[in-house]
């Protein structure tokens, strides 16, 4: 087990393996996304309360889910990188951050688009939207901190520490926001979720969540591959690799 | 067995390799000089040996154990004279040294004598912001000299010293080594403590 | 020297240095007062509105003043090399960092707590509101110092780090702000605030137990 782990963490091995897996993951995720989108936009009936507007959950829910999941992944890989000093783990965390920030932004945007017909305004200080906004700030903080270091191993360790501190804070922030909004004396806010969802609405949603996760996995592998090449550009195996490529060297 | 061992140290700074697979050891009662041109990584090597900078590969052992695992024991055995003086500009020379004495677990009664020997008595009550570069350096040296640490890591210990100060430092270094201490000094000048020249390692292309 | 005397020595030295630099101590406080007085000037000095805004404005001003004072927390020590000496000393670095953070709170947080009631009066907060403001600041500002210390340690080696520090620690400070300002608000309208006070205390305990370790780890990274 440990041996397998170490072999995977070796950059050339990972580079090769990721190169084999990533196209498969990308294409299968795209096909699944197409099926799910068809199911969600065409097959599923309109919601009796929210009408056609509810269909935005097929984008919103997967991206909200991924926005948190990716941060958790960053914290775990950063922890692994800090404790066992595995550079590849740091490379994964660094590559995941911009993807996570993008999903967070998509989740915010779709939430706002949904809000316009439902709340009559693009922005409502709803606890979920607020948490999502704070999460976006945290992603920006992580990326800016990394960018401020020239030395990549310092950026890895500083960013990793911040990711770990942040992941302890995220639940605290989330529950504070819920507590804070429960004190609001505003109009009762309808939450952006589907508590009693029918079967033909549900399966495209679940499929899309799975497909987006797969899509994220493929994107991550592509990004980590590029990151690994960049970090190891001085090493023998990258030089050999470049030598094999037509037109290089 | 009191011994500092560097094992397979490799460190890159950007595109430059400062040292690769560097191994050596320093035993009780010896002095090692680290030589090399400016920018060859002398200071960085001392920082790696102290544990401040983490090498890319390899590790440093003190008495047979990795210094990252025995930080407190190693810290108690180490006096570090770095590139920066480590003095608070707003405190007087004496206050600065008294704080260091506290860290070393000492009363600080030898401070006046040390200041005298380093030709600093006249600025004992001066805030270190008013000191010249050489005087600050000597104040920082006083901290090393008053510690009873077994290992001295010294970055350019005799630069900015006059002939008398230099002789005093060499004498103290000799006494430290003769008493079973270890010292590693990064220097671009010669330091002689006995008739025979000490061990040296060269960094970079300078030979 | 045992650990508690080491801790005391660190705090004493910080205070000794700070008292030679009155200007550095006073400017975050002046900032606090000025931000708080900007709002009545920019809005309008209606008692009703100021009473409603007061808890939030005073808490935000305190938060920003803390942030302002944090930037220099470790910078000087790293530049003059005293941090190297602390890192290499045989004592736990987290304890030294904790000592510095405690000194930071004594020099910056505590004066804010003491100054706040005077400003609360200019916002016409009722007595219960003033009391709640002092109490929440007293429990909340140490957490802010501890959180800020992590950010200051992470950015200590970075140039132009003021904005970065704010970006890193403000989201983490939000729960303290929300509980503190809300509790002050609630107390002003005569409600019980034991709940948020317990939550603020819980946050402080959590911060006390974990954050000095994180700051120490961050300092080691910044020095590398």
């Amino acid at each position: 087990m440990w041996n397998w782990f170490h072999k995977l963490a070796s950059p050339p091995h990972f580079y090769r393996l990721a190169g084999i897996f990533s196209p498969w993951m990308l294409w299968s995720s795209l096909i699944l996304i197409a099926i799910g989108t068809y199911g969600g936009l065409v097959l599923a009936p309109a919601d009796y309360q929210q009408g056609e507007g509810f269909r935005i959950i097929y984008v919103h829910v997967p991206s909200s889910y991924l926005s948190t999941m990716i941060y958790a992944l960053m914290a775990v890989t950063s922890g692994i990188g800090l404790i066992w000093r595995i550079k590849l783990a740091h490379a994964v965390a660094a590559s995941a951050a911009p993807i996570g920030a993008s999903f967070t932004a998509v989740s915010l945007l779709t939430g706002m688009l949904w809000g316009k017909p439902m709340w009559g305004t693009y922005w409502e200080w709803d606890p979920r939207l607020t948490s999502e906004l704070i999460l976006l700030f945290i992603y920006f903080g992580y990326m800016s901190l990394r960018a401020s270091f020239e030395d990549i191993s310092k950026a890895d360790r500083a960013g990793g520490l911040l990711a770990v501190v942040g992941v302890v804070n995220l639940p605290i922030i989330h529950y504070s926001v819920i507590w804070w909004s429960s004190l609001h004396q505003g109009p009762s806010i309808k939450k952006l979720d589907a508590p009693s969802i029918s079967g033909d609405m549900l399966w495209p949603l679940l499929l899309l969540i799975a497909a987006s996760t797969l899509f994220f996995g493929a994107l991550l592998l592509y990004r980590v591959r590029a990151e690994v090449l960049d970090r190891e550009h001085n090493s023998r195996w990258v030089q050999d690799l470049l030598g094999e490529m037509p037109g290089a060297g | 067995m009191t011994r500092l061992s560097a094992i397979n140290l490799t460190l890159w700074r950007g595109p430059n390799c400062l040292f690769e697979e560097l191994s050596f050891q320093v035993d009780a009662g010896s002095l090692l000089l680290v030589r090399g041109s400016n920018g060859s990584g002398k200071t960085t090597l001392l920082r790696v040996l102290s544990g401040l900078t983490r090498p890319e590969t390899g590790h440093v052992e003190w008495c047979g154990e990795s210094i990252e695992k025995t930080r407190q024991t190693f810290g108690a055995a180490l006096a570090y004279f770095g590139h920066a003086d480590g003095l608070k500009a707003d405190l007087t020379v004496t206050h600065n040294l008294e704080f260091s004495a506290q860290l070393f677990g000492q009363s600080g009664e030898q401070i006046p004598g040390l200041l005298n020997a380093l030709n600093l008595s006249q600025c004992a009550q001066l805030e270190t912001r008013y000191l010249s570069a050489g005087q600050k350096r000597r104040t920082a040296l006083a901290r090393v000299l008053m510690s009873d640490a077994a290992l001295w890591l010294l970055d350019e210990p005799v630069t900015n010293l006059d002939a008398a100060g230099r002789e005093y430092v060499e004498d103290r270094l000799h006494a430290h080594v003769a008493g079973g201490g270890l010292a590693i000094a990064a220097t671009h000048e010669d330091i002689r403590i006995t008739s025979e020249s000490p061990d040296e390692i060269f960094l970079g292309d300078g030979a | 020297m045992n650990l508690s005397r080491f801790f005391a020595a660190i705090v004493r030295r910080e205070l000794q240095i700070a008292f030679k630099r009155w200007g550095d101590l006073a400017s975050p406080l002046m900032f606090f007062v000025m931000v708080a007085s900007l709002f009545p000037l920019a809005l309008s000095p209606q008692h009703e509105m100021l009473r409603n805004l007061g808890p939030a404005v005073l808490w935000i001003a305190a938060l920003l003043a803390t942030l302002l004072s944090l930037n220099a927390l470790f910078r000087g020590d790293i530049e003059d090399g005293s941090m190297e000496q602390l890192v290499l000393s045989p004592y736990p670095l987290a304890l030294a960092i904790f000592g510095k953070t405690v000194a930071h709170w004594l020099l910056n947080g505590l004066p804010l707590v003491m100054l706040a009631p005077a400003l609360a009066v200019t916002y016409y907060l009722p007595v219960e509101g003033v009391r709640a403001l002092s109490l929440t600041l007293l429990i909340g500002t140490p957490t802010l110092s501890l959180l800020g210390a992590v950010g200051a340690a992470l950015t200590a080696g970075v140039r132009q780090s003021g904005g970065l520090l704010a970006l890193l620690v403000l989201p983490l400070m939000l729960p303290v702000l929300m509980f503190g300002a809300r509790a002050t608000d609630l107390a002003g309208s005569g409600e019980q605030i034991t709940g948020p006070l317990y939550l603020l205390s819980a946050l402080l305990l959590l911060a006390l137990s974990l954050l000095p370790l994180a700051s120490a780890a961050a300092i080691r990274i910044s020095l590398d």
Side-chain angles (χ1 to χ4, degrees):
Chain A
M1 167 69 193
W2 192 243
N3 257 341
W4 172 85
F5 191 59
H6 258 275
K7 199 174 175 199
L8 183 68
S10 104
H13 187 71
F14 172 86
Y15 183 84
R16 205 156 4 96
L17 217 57
I20 298 170
F21 278 115
S22 47
W24 287 98
M25 287 171 72
L26 183 67
W27 285 109
S28 52
S29 73
L30 289 179
I31 293 169
L32 290 179
I33 285 176
I35 299 174
T37 310
Y38 183 74
L41 297 191
V42 180
L43 298 182
D47 187 80
Y48 77 98
Q49 255 188 331
Q50 306 182 5
E52 303 289 343
F54 97 97
R55 293 185 199 278
I56 205 155
I57 66 162
Y58 292 118
V59 186
H60 178 81
V61 173
S63 34
S64 303
Y65 155 75
L66 277 174
S67 66
T68 346
M69 204 277 289
I70 293 173
Y71 195 87
L73 176 83
M74 278 166 55
V76 171
T77 49
S78 295
I80 292 174
L82 287 173
I83 296 169
W84 288 293
R85 304 197 182 163
I86 297 172
K87 289 180 191 169
L88 183 65
H90 284 303
V92 171
S95 316
I99 313 179
S102 316
F103 276 116
T104 314
V106 169
S107 157
L108 268 179
L109 284 175
T110 50
M112 288 164 73
L113 287 178
W114 181 87
K116 183 64 184 170
M118 300 303 150
W119 295 323
T121 166
Y122 283 114
W123 186 260
E124 188 64 56
W125 290 94
D126 160 84
R128 287 170 184 230
L129 278 185
T130 312
S131 290
E132 208 67 42
L133 182 67
I134 298 170
L135 183 60
L136 188 64
F137 291 153
I138 292 180
Y139 271 118
F140 282 154
Y142 175 86
M143 291 191 286
S144 318
L145 181 68
R146 284 201 65 99
S148 67
F149 288 100
E150 277 164 35
D151 182 46
I152 199 145
S153 92
K154 268 177 104 163
D156 280 345
R157 289 159 67 198
L161 192 66
L162 182 70
V164 172
V165 171
V167 86
V168 177
N169 253 280
L170 271 185
I172 299 176
I173 293 173
H174 183 70
Y175 287 107
S176 330
V177 170
I178 291 177
W179 173 84
W180 159 84
S181 79
S182 72
L183 294 174
H184 250 324
Q185 304 294 317
S188 73
I189 294 160
K190 212 185 309 167
K191 279 183 181 157
L192 179 50
D193 63 1
S196 56
I197 192 167
S198 70
D200 30 355
M201 286 179 178
L202 188 61
W203 74 260
L205 184 61
L206 294 179
L207 183 67
L208 278 168
I209 290 177
S212 318
T213 311
L214 201 58
F215 180 65
F216 158 69
L219 279 189
L220 183 66
L221 288 187
Y222 279 110
R223 285 188 59 89
V224 176
R225 261 166 71 94
E227 177 86 24
V228 164
L229 275 192
D230 187 32
R231 287 169 181 236
E232 305 261 318
H233 67 272
N234 271 330
S235 68
R236 172 71 60 78
W237 70 271
V238 177
Q239 298 298 332
D240 290 350
L241 199 72
L242 289 176
E244 289 166 16
M245 287 185 183
Chain B
M1 169 91 211
T2 319
R3 165 188 284 179
L4 185 82
S5 329
I7 299 160
N8 295 330
L9 299 178
T10 303
L11 195 72
W12 290 73
R13 274 289 181 254
N16 303 320
C17 178
L18 295 181
F19 34 86
E20 194 165 15
E21 300 285 313
L22 178 67
S23 295
F24 58 86
Q25 63 186 42
V26 183
D27 289 313
S30 51
L31 164 71
L32 174 74
L33 296 186
V34 180
R35 312 297 294 260
S37 55
N38 280 342
S40 60
K42 299 193 291 286
T43 297
T44 313
L45 179 59
L46 280 196
R47 289 176 64 90
V48 169
L49 294 178
S50 72
L52 283 173
T53 296
R54 188 191 278 178
E56 223 129 297
T57 64
H59 63 283
V60 179
E61 285 182 2
W62 173 247
C63 303
E65 296 204 59
S66 166
I67 58 168
E68 294 202 20
K69 294 196 180 104
T70 54
R71 261 182 198 145
Q72 315 229 336
T73 348
F74 182 60
L78 170 71
Y80 179 75
F81 176 77
H83 189 67
D85 297 320
L87 304 171
K88 297 311 291 181
D90 293 307
L91 298 182
T92 64
V93 169
T94 308
H95 277 149
N96 266 301
L97 291 179
E98 277 171 353
F99 179 74
S100 307
Q102 277 184 309
L103 286 191
F104 293 134
Q106 294 177 349
S107 61
E109 59 195 8
Q110 80 247 57
I111 292 175
L114 264 175
L115 291 180
N116 208 11
L118 287 165
N119 199 12
L120 284 167
S121 318
Q122 72 283 5
C123 32
Q125 299 307 325
L126 223 53
E127 291 174 8
T128 55
R129 67 167 74 251
Y130 303 115
L131 265 52
S132 72
Q135 287 170 323
K136 282 186 200 161
R137 240 20 219 153
R138 278 179 281 159
T139 311
L141 256 179
R143 178 174 48 220
V144 175
L145 298 181
M146 76 185 177
S147 77
D148 47 14
L151 171 65
W152 290 1
L153 292 179
L154 310 168
D155 195 353
E156 301 289 356
V158 295
T159 310
N160 273 332
L161 292 188
D162 57 13
R166 185 185 172 121
E167 198 176 323
Y168 176 72
V169 170
E170 284 179 345
D171 282 351
R172 289 294 304 258
L173 201 53
H174 177 62
H176 174 68
V177 171
L182 293 73
I184 301 177
T187 177
H188 65 267
E189 294 177 54
D190 279 323
I191 297 179
R192 298 197 75 95
I193 56 169
T194 51
S195 49
E196 57 200 281
S197 44
D199 295 335
E200 297 186 335
I201 53 173
F202 292 92
L203 292 182
D205 43 32
Chain C
M1 188 161 61
N2 61 23
L3 293 182
S4 54
R5 288 188 53 195
F6 170 69
F7 175 76
I10 295 279
V11 176
R12 195 171 337 110
R13 184 164 91 133
E14 287 298 311
L15 300 182
Q16 216 175 6
I17 293 168
F19 288 133
K20 301 219 170 182
R21 301 180 146 266
W22 282 107
D24 291 2
L25 278 185
S27 61
L29 278 180
M30 294 311 296
F31 178 81
F32 179 50
V33 176
M34 278 166 134
V35 170
S37 29
L38 287 181
F39 281 81
L41 296 175
L43 294 160
S44 72
Q46 291 168 9
H47 292 202
E48 186 63 21
M49 184 168 61
L50 289 180
R51 196 175 299 137
N52 286 336
L53 287 177
V57 167
L58 294 173
W59 251 97
I60 291 174
L63 185 82
L64 294 179
T66 308
L67 206 57
L68 191 69
S69 60
L70 278 168
N71 205 10
L73 185 54
F74 301 118
R75 187 162 298 258
D77 281 344
I78 286 187
E79 276 166 6
D80 67 20
S82 2
M83 192 54 90
E84 288 174 355
Q85 298 295 334
L86 285 179
V87 169
L88 298 176
S89 82
Y91 300 97
L93 179 60
L95 191 61
I97 299 296
F98 181 55
K100 284 186 65 72
T101 315
V102 168
H104 174 265
W105 182 76
L106 289 174
L107 294 164
N108 295 283
L110 195 57
L112 290 180
V113 176
M114 296 194 293
L115 208 57
L119 289 173
V121 171
T122 67
Y123 277 80
Y124 312 105
L125 292 195
V127 182
E128 295 78 32
V130 178
R131 200 184 303 134
L133 180 69
S134 308
L135 207 54
T136 52
L137 280 175
L138 188 66
I139 312 175
T141 46
T143 315
L144 298 185
S145 288
L146 288 160
L147 273 171
V150 180
L154 280 172
T155 56
V158 175
R159 266 176 225 165
Q160 306 276 322
S161 62
L164 182 60
L165 176 65
L167 189 58
L168 296 189
V169 298
L170 276 180
L172 306 182
M173 289 175 170
L174 276 176
V176 178
L177 174 73
M178 289 192 289
F179 289 131
R182 277 315 207 135
T184 309
D185 197 21
L186 289 178
S189 43
E191 289 186 51
Q192 276 291 325
I193 54 161
T194 38
L197 284 184
Y198 279 137
L199 288 169
L200 276 175
S201 315
L203 286 182
L204 176 57
L205 288 179
L206 191 68
L208 278 173
S209 52
L210 295 179
L211 293 178
L213 294 171
S215 304
I219 283 289
R220 285 187 198 279
I221 296 167
S222 283
L223 275 183
D224 193 332

